[in-house]
Amino acid sequence: MSSLPAALPNLDLDLARTFVAICETGNFSRAAERVNRSASAISLQVKKLEEIIGCSLFERETRRVRLTPDGEVLLGFARRLLQLNDEVMSRFRTPDFAGKVQLGVPNDNGIIAIPEIMRRFAISHPHVEVDVFLGPTARLRQRIADGTTDIAVFSYNPELDRQPPIHSEPLVWLGARNGMAIEKRPLPVALAEPGCYWRAMALRALDEAGINYRVAYTSEFCQAQIAATEADLAICPVPISVISDRLIHLDARHGLPELGEYRITLAKRPGTGPAENALAEHVVSSFKMAAERGMRLFA
């Protein structure tokens, strides 16, 4: 009589979600906040997951946790499992709207932050077609006013916008690590094209501080400004979430003025329907969730 092979254990999705949270946040404490559990509960979950998998997943370091080779393999599987789970639950538990929505976003958000937000929206609302229009804040605000765009995300101006901000973070100066651009005079700066809110804030601050500067590099995309900064051709004013190992935060210790908070808002044209409102709610909640989890929006 032949015997059937023993059934493999199931991978608990809660354990997978905790594992991914640790990988994305870099430590147990921030992961605990993301999944609404205590740090001790997170440790127990990791121990249970390692017992189920049968191998060690993390190498503990002083400030961060680092994946083992087996952990790196599991991360890919865990993300795929969670994505499939979310697709299934969204399919059966989310109202199935249909239609076409035009979303206007600034160039930097449209290239960096928005695609991932749209990917998740497409999973939960597969019958809603979203056209994304990229443009500067002034043009986006005008398109909402004349009704040619359904929803728009753009820089918040309290004198012009009645709706509140949906996200804010410090706008800061960044320079190349061990770079010399900060020492040059006139100070070389990498900026967006005229009309950009970040550019206006930076130039106003430099003028008020009496700093002699020159616009050494101009591009409508912040990735180009960051590339010029990493090459030590200039310094640049960008949201602090853009900072990386190749860049450092420059402040008053380097003789630079503070820039303040960069805020964005979301506006809708009058008369939007269920599909437009669902997308607007999704965008707002995505920015809020990203901020709460310490995720990087602009890089």
Side-chain angles (χ1 to χ4, degrees):
M1 181 176 181
S2 61
S3 59
L4 296 174
L8 293 173
N10 294 322
L11 181 60
D12 190 311
L13 287 179
D14 284 339
L15 300 183
R17 201 172 296 277
T18 294
F19 173 69
V20 171
I22 295 171
C23 297
E24 292 182 347
T25 61
N27 64 52
F28 282 31
S29 297
R30 287 199 293 269
E33 295 176 0
R34 178 185 290 195
V35 299
N36 296 317
R37 294 180 182 271
S38 65
S40 58
I42 291 291
S43 297
L44 290 175
Q45 283 192 304
V46 170
K47 182 178 180 181
K48 183 177 179 180
L49 181 59
E50 289 180 331
E51 290 175 352
I52 293 174
I53 296 298
C55 59
S56 178
L57 301 173
F58 294 106
E59 295 178 4
R60 276 71 167 180
E61 297 179 352
T62 304
R63 295 184 179 180
R64 293 181 60 87
V65 291
R66 188 159 56 90
L67 285 171
T68 64
D70 289 323
E72 292 178 352
V73 173
L74 178 62
L75 179 58
F77 285 121
R79 282 175 168 156
R80 286 160 55 190
L81 284 171
L82 293 176
Q83 179 179 344
L84 181 58
N85 174 80
D86 293 347
E87 288 182 17
V88 171
M89 298 309 296
S90 295
R91 172 62 180 81
F92 291 101
R93 300 190 63 175
T94 303
D96 191 13
F97 302 121
K100 178 180 288 189
V101 182
Q102 184 174 85
L103 172 67
V105 292
N107 291 320
D108 297 321
N109 291 32
I111 294 173
I112 302 173
I114 295 298
E116 176 59 22
I117 294 175
M118 291 298 95
R119 183 190 69 80
R120 294 195 300 271
F121 184 77
I123 292 173
S124 60
H125 297 81
H127 300 298
V128 176
E129 182 180 346
V130 180
D131 292 336
V132 178
F133 172 83
L134 304 182
T137 288
R139 188 174 182 188
L140 295 173
R141 190 180 281 114
Q142 181 59 47
R143 288 176 69 93
I144 287 292
D146 61 27
T148 56
T149 293
D150 300 312
I151 303 167
V153 176
F154 47 75
S155 298
Y156 173 74
N157 185 330
E159 297 180 357
L160 299 175
D161 302 315
R162 289 177 294 177
Q163 68 282 355
I166 64 170
H167 175 74
S168 66
E169 66 174 283
L171 190 72
V172 299
W173 297 104
L174 296 185
R177 186 173 298 278
N178 301 318
M180 297 301 296
I182 184 61
E183 305 294 337
K184 298 178 180 178
R185 290 296 181 274
L187 179 68
V189 292
L191 301 173
E193 295 178 338
C196 171
Y197 196 68
W198 303 352
R199 177 188 177 107
M201 292 176 68
L203 294 183
R204 185 185 308 115
L206 290 173
D207 289 336
E208 291 177 352
I211 295 176
N212 184 21
Y213 65 88
R214 68 181 181 89
V215 179
Y217 197 93
T218 301
S219 172
E220 63 178 314
F221 302 112
C222 75
Q223 298 99 318
Q225 299 160 42
I226 294 169
T229 302
E230 290 178 345
D232 200 27
L233 299 176
I235 67 170
C236 67
V238 289
I240 195 168
S241 63
V242 168
I243 197 167
S244 68
D245 292 339
R246 296 185 295 275
L247 299 170
I248 62 170
H249 179 190
L250 304 172
D251 53 24
R253 294 169 298 176
H254 303 88
L256 292 173
E258 291 188 2
L259 295 174
E261 290 280 317
Y262 167 65
R263 295 180 290 177
I264 60 176
T265 187
L266 180 144
K268 297 186 292 184
R269 65 166 176 78
T272 53
E276 292 90 343
N277 293 333
L279 176 59
E281 292 174 5
H282 176 79
V283 172
V284 171
S285 63
S286 294
F287 273 94
K288 181 179 179 181
M289 184 183 301
E292 290 174 347
R293 295 179 176 181
M295 295 169 63
R296 302 174 70 179
L297 289 168
F298 295 97

